[in-house]
Amino acid sequence: MAPSTVLVSTSSGMRFKSRRMNAYLSASQLGWIPNQLVWGAKKRGVAIHAVQAAYTSQACPECHFVSRNNRPQHQTFCCQVCRLTDQADRVAARNIQSRHGDADIHHCRTIADIKAVLQRRHQAYCNRVGRSPTARQDTEPSVTLAKVNAKNYS
């Protein structure tokens, strides 16, 4: 069954520290991809919606805590507050899906505005469950992708 809606990010573009990589990306014409997505969706009668992508890979979809430390490894997501553990791309997809129709995030114009919304939501979560709004300081066993996959596919 084909999806009825496709969500795309509204990121400002990819920029790297290396001039060579930036030149390569510019020459590769990656700007053509969004146009192709719109064309393909229209051809198939599928709606396409833009979603703010800031912090989707660093924010916990459960408690909304945002930190780079939530990604102990490239492929692994482990929230430092609520201990949600999952595959990083799956967490980012959940965040993108939850932002579709989210008026607070949609009206944000800067990345700082998005982070402020997520911090308010995290504070509300902590108040609701009676937790401190900061990351846990206890020691955690290392999280590996094998553990995440075993948890999700067993």
Side-chain angles (χ1 to χ4, degrees):
M1 174 156 90
S4 59
T5 303
V6 174
L7 302 175
V8 295
S9 72
T10 59
S11 61
S12 60
M14 295 183 283
R15 301 293 298 166
F16 295 91
K17 292 180 182 177
S18 164
R19 286 184 186 178
R20 185 175 182 182
M21 181 58 82
N22 286 325
Y24 173 75
L25 288 174
S26 177
S28 69
Q29 300 179 4
L30 290 175
W32 182 253
I33 293 173
N35 296 334
Q36 287 295 105
L37 284 172
V38 170
W39 175 79
K42 189 181 287 186
K43 178 180 172 183
R44 291 164 181 82
V46 175
I48 191 162
H49 298 282
V51 178
Q52 295 280 3
Y55 300 110
T56 54
S57 65
Q58 297 176 8
C60 177
E62 299 295 325
C63 72
H64 307 287
F65 179 69
V66 178
S67 174
R68 288 183 182 175
N69 294 332
N70 285 344
R71 299 280 301 273
Q73 297 173 354
H74 180 70
Q75 296 179 335
T76 307
F77 181 92
C78 181
C79 180
Q80 302 298 301
V81 175
C82 72
R83 296 294 191 233
L84 171 75
T85 303
D86 202 347
Q87 204 273 342
D89 290 337
R90 190 175 298 126
V91 170
R94 282 180 61 187
N95 284 328
I96 289 171
Q97 186 177 22
S98 71
R99 290 184 183 187
H100 174 59
D102 185 339
D104 292 337
I105 298 283
H106 180 72
H107 293 299
C108 292
R109 296 291 168 228
T110 66
I111 293 174
D113 293 342
I114 293 171
K115 189 163 189 176
V117 168
L118 294 172
Q119 287 174 334
R120 283 194 306 271
R121 290 178 180 175
H122 175 64
Q123 184 66 47
Y125 167 84
C126 290
N127 292 340
R128 193 171 56 249
V129 299
R131 277 199 183 146
S132 169
T134 59
R136 293 182 181 177
Q137 298 300 319
D138 56 359
T139 58
E140 174 201 349
S142 64
V143 177
T144 64
L145 186 58
K147 290 180 186 176
V148 171
N149 286 336
K151 175 185 156 198
N152 291 320
Y153 297 115
S154 56

